Amino acid sequence: MIAKFKSKQFISFLFAGGFAAVVNFGSRFFYSEFVSFGNAVILAYITGMITAFILTKFFVFEKSIHSVKKEFYYFTMVNLVALLQTYIISVGFAEYLFPMMGFKFYPKAVANAIGVVFPVFTSFFGHKHFSFRGEK
């Protein structure tokens, strides 16, 4: 299991996901100008997800057994789980945990960064075994 996290594929996934996470994180500030923090987290996640799909499909996983349409469907399903994780952590930290702790150093930005990073491992396995599943 640990060996999978040392593979070239996982390292490529981290780079693709890292870039998509930067897009996600950065676009949240843009969206926050127009919608509530919670909605901005969701819109930013979608923006990052589309970026991640393109990068992951072309640079991380070998040819899968699925059509592009099916890949995107599974990719979306895996990311809905990750979105739920991101949302609960981002909003939970920003609106509940950090105020309870008295944490005031850019609480929404820090909360969102934690929320964006959290689903890396669950997403890798989901995409490897569902979204871009190769022939066995």
Side-chain angles (χ1 to χ4, degrees):
M1 179 90 132
I2 298 289
K4 288 184 181 183
F5 296 124
K6 294 179 181 178
S7 69
K8 180 180 181 253
Q9 188 177 52
F10 183 69
I11 301 302
S12 297
F13 181 79
L14 287 179
F15 278 109
F19 184 80
V22 169
V23 169
N24 178 337
F25 184 74
S27 67
R28 201 274 304 160
F29 292 96
F30 170 76
Y31 292 127
S32 286
E33 294 294 318
F34 306 101
V35 298
S36 70
F37 175 70
N39 287 334
V41 168
I42 292 170
L43 291 172
Y45 193 89
I46 292 167
T47 304
M49 187 181 92
I50 292 168
T51 303
F53 177 78
I54 293 166
L55 294 174
T56 304
K57 175 167 180 47
F58 291 106
F59 298 111
V60 178
F61 295 105
E62 307 267 328
K63 183 171 171 37
S64 81
I65 61 171
H66 303 303
S67 67
V68 173
K69 185 177 177 180
K70 202 165 193 179
E71 286 173 345
F72 192 74
Y73 171 77
Y74 284 124
F75 192 88
T76 301
M77 293 300 106
V78 168
N79 276 284
L80 285 176
V81 172
L83 172 59
L84 184 61
Q85 292 170 328
T86 300
Y87 183 85
I88 289 169
I89 290 166
S90 297
V91 174
F93 275 51
E95 296 183 7
Y96 301 101
L97 184 63
F98 286 166
M100 272 184 1
M101 295 170 50
F103 183 81
K104 295 181 183 186
F105 182 77
Y106 299 101
K108 289 182 178 178
V110 172
N112 190 218
I114 294 167
V116 167
V117 169
F118 187 82
V120 168
F121 300 101
T122 56
S123 294
F124 176 72
F125 282 109
H127 294 316
K128 181 174 181 67
H129 297 291
F130 293 103
S131 309
F132 300 104
R133 190 171 119 207
E135 303 239 354
K136 293 203 177 204

